[in-house]
Amino acid sequence: MKWLRLPEPARIGLAVLLASLPGLAGASATGQVQAWVTTSDHRLALAPVGPAELVAGTPEAGGVRIVVEPRQRHQSMVGFGASLTDASAWLIRHRLDEAQRDALLRELFGREDGGLGLGFTRLTIGASDFSRHHYSLDDPPDGRPDPELRHFSLEPNRDDVIPVARAMLAINPQLKIMASPWSAPAWMKDNGSLVQGRLLPQYYDAFSRYLLRYVDAMAAEGVPVFALTVQNEPDFEPGDYPGMRLNAAQRARLVGDHLGPMIEARGGTPLLFDWDHNWDKPEEPLAVLRDPAAGRHIDAVAWHCYGGDPSAQAPVHAAFPDRDVYMTECSGGDWEPLRSGGLALQTRSALIGSVRNGARGVLFWNLALDENNGPHAGGCDTCRGVVTIDSRTGAVTRTDEYYALAHASRFVRPGAYRIESSGRTGGLDNVAFRNDDGSLVLLVSNDAPGEQAFEVVQDGHAFRASLPGRSIGTWVWTPPAHDAD
């Protein structure tokens, strides 16, 4: 088989030459396979390369092979996206003019003209480290307890988060929004501070009402929240931004005795996700799911990527197969192994790995940060947004996380099923999907330094392709009609 060689810097093999395909001499083409590639240095950036031809027959054994099996369906997909943090919303609202803002949001959340069609986002209930100051949504002026929530207010979000979220929804009305608190109001905690401390049991009821008050208040503003977690990273107490330790036993009592019954009385909405933390402690969500009072109220387990491995999702899901799986935070940034692994590593772990282990949705962290990785009040100063907005000019730079999301969200539609495909082979990782229109999508990551050739086989059809070193690619094709079922 011969390979198409494009001139540098766009060299990548993608041709399928039927006469020399091993075992398929004289075979006829049955369709075209479209392909897009991004390299870690962005010399190729969501670049169309191809098309290749899908041919009838199966190549002889040999070489790296990815087998795609559309009839073996797994989870349906909700979507891909990133968090609309306070920092992201403020930059989009106040450092872009109207035309720049509209263009960026349409590129991210629309599907026309090659838009990414992002369909999933996360809001913070009160401040996170990526806020310009620390606050909750119930901060009484005298600091005294307010169990009746008389001082609850969305005022801190009215000038940035709410209008930007509305604009996102106007572009993509099917956008799914979840929300997570970084801390309960200070008066609910044992140290009287948004930073560190624990939620006092006497305020479990008030905190549950606080979370649902947020959901209802945002809905009244035209921003529907479909799912909650009760605490971002509940096994961590940051020292310089809002946070709160809330272990499995505490979450079980909060959910089982208070928040869960309140949601049940509302008809089961919003959905409730547990954990919202790293892969390295699967015993934490398992303990809540196994609690007889709390477990029945948990709809899904949410995971972060900063510790452990995405394979941790699978045994938790196997133990509770009727509960969904989501990846709800993974930041890009300037640290190892991301510094050396780059685009291919981020795609392999946070996106391909999480989805192959059951995730219905994938969220990166900040949707947008500025040229100084901010604004932020404490926390991470090396985190990277999906896009970087120059706070002086409004110029937008697209990061590795942008391209990782683009290679999935632009082609995988909400409601698509993940389908069976071969595991890691020859240094390549992949995940495959089937859209409602019958089209198949294959996302492949090559984290090796050199170019890797491979063949894709699906139901008696095949095509051949290759990826440059440290790159990702997406292949899209529609099987012949008799293979569609």
Side-chain angles (χ1 to χ4, degrees):
M1 176 175 178
K2 298 178 181 178
W3 297 94
L4 175 65
R5 298 289 180 178
L6 302 179
E8 290 289 344
R11 186 173 70 80
I12 180 172
L14 282 170
V16 175
L17 302 180
L18 300 181
S20 56
L21 184 63
L24 289 179
S28 59
T30 60
Q32 284 195 334
V33 183
Q34 305 295 324
W36 295 260
V37 170
T38 300
T39 53
S40 284
D41 59 9
H42 298 181
R43 291 181 302 114
L44 291 174
L46 204 62
V49 284
E53 286 186 319
L54 183 70
V55 300
T58 301
E60 296 174 358
V64 177
R65 174 177 294 185
I66 298 172
V67 179
V68 177
E69 302 181 64
R71 293 178 181 83
Q72 293 190 40
R73 296 184 177 185
H74 299 285
Q75 74 272 23
S76 63
M77 300 305 298
V78 168
F80 305 87
S83 293
L84 182 67
T85 58
D86 290 355
S88 300
W90 184 80
L91 286 167
I92 292 169
R93 178 76 168 166
H94 295 290
R95 289 297 179 265
L96 298 178
D97 62 32
E98 184 176 356
Q100 291 172 321
R101 182 166 54 251
D102 183 69
L104 177 61
L105 292 179
R106 289 189 180 281
E107 177 183 344
L108 293 172
F109 295 94
R111 289 202 177 272
E112 296 179 358
D113 301 320
L116 273 57
L118 299 181
F120 188 23
T121 193
R122 183 180 182 217
L123 304 180
T124 71
I125 303 175
S128 72
D129 45 332
F130 284 92
S131 299
R132 292 183 300 138
H133 66 281
H134 299 167
Y135 68 93
S136 82
L137 300 180
D138 194 310
D139 293 330
D142 57 8
R144 293 183 178 180
D146 181 28
E148 300 302 320
L149 305 181
R150 292 188 177 93
H151 294 278
F152 181 94
S153 175
L154 288 180
E155 196 60 34
N157 297 153
R158 290 194 184 281
D159 193 41
D160 41 41
V161 173
I162 291 173
V164 174
R166 284 174 176 162
M168 290 157 51
L169 285 159
I171 295 167
N172 181 1
Q174 284 72 51
L175 179 68
K176 292 291 188 181
I177 300 173
M178 65 170 290
S180 307
W182 265 239
S183 173
W187 54 267
M188 294 187 188
K189 297 171 67 179
D190 60 1
N191 65 348
S193 172
L194 293 174
V195 179
Q196 299 187 318
R198 304 192 182 207
L199 180 64
L200 291 166
Q202 69 227 47
Y203 291 121
Y204 283 6
D205 187 79
F207 186 52
S208 298
R209 288 186 283 109
Y210 171 84
L211 296 177
L212 296 178
R213 180 79 171 269
Y214 171 83
V215 171
D216 292 340
M218 290 297 280
E221 297 291 337
V223 182
V225 173
F226 93 106
L228 286 175
T229 62
V230 300
Q231 175 60 37
N232 173 72
E233 299 189 344
D235 195 48
F236 177 52
E237 286 182 83
D240 60 355
Y241 64 91
M244 184 172 74
R245 197 175 293 273
L246 199 66
N247 65 28
Q250 294 164 333
R251 296 197 310 280
R253 296 286 62 75
L254 172 67
V255 170
D257 299 341
H258 301 277
L259 182 58
M262 290 180 190
I263 291 176
E264 187 174 43
R266 294 161 55 97
T269 57
L271 301 180
L272 191 56
F273 299 172
D274 185 52
W275 191 220
D276 212 7
H277 208 167
N278 292 336
W279 291 314
D280 56 0
K281 291 193 176 179
E283 66 274 11
E284 277 275 330
L286 281 171
V288 176
L289 289 168
R290 287 169 178 157
D291 183 276
R296 66 190 189 90
H297 297 294
I298 301 300
D299 298 288
V301 176
W303 301 90
H304 294 185
C305 74
Y306 309 115
D309 183 89
S311 62
Q313 297 172 185
V316 176
H317 185 53
F320 293 88
D322 58 339
R323 314 305 162 84
D324 288 333
V325 181
Y326 288 85
M327 159 58 68
T328 53
E329 187 183 314
C330 192
S331 184
D334 186 22
W335 58 77
E336 289 295 352
L338 286 183
R339 185 182 291 118
S340 57
L343 170 69
L345 177 64
Q346 188 78 319
T347 303
R348 169 191 172 188
S349 177
L351 205 156
I352 293 175
S354 66
V355 173
R356 287 189 69 94
N357 285 281
R360 297 189 64 200
V362 175
L363 290 172
F364 286 120
W365 185 205
N366 292 274
L367 184 65
L369 291 178
D370 68 16
E371 69 278 8
N372 298 310
N373 300 322
H376 62 94
C380 180
D381 60 4
T382 56
C383 288
R384 182 173 59 211
V386 169
V387 297
T388 301
I389 295 175
D390 189 309
S391 61
R392 300 153 298 187
T393 67
V396 173
T397 303
R398 292 148 189 85
T399 69
D400 284 348
E401 290 67 44
Y402 173 97
Y403 290 109
L405 287 172
H407 272 271
S409 188
R410 183 174 165 187
F411 308 103
V412 180
R413 301 305 174 97
Y417 281 92
R418 179 176 77 86
I419 55 177
E420 186 65 23
S421 61
S422 305
R424 181 173 172 85
T425 178
L428 300 178
D429 292 90
N430 76 87
V431 65
F433 306 88
R434 179 174 175 169
N435 288 317
D436 285 345
D437 65 1
S439 61
L440 304 183
V441 180
L442 178 68
L443 171 60
V444 183
S445 173
N446 178 19
D447 59 15
E451 182 176 355
Q452 176 67 68
F454 60 98
E455 61 192 21
V456 177
V457 176
Q458 175 258 311
D459 289 332
H461 301 271
F463 64 90
R464 285 192 167 184
S466 73
L467 270 176
R470 305 196 192 286
S471 71
I472 62 174
T474 300
W475 283 260
V476 180
W477 71 99
T478 299
H482 64 274
D483 294 325
D485 293 335

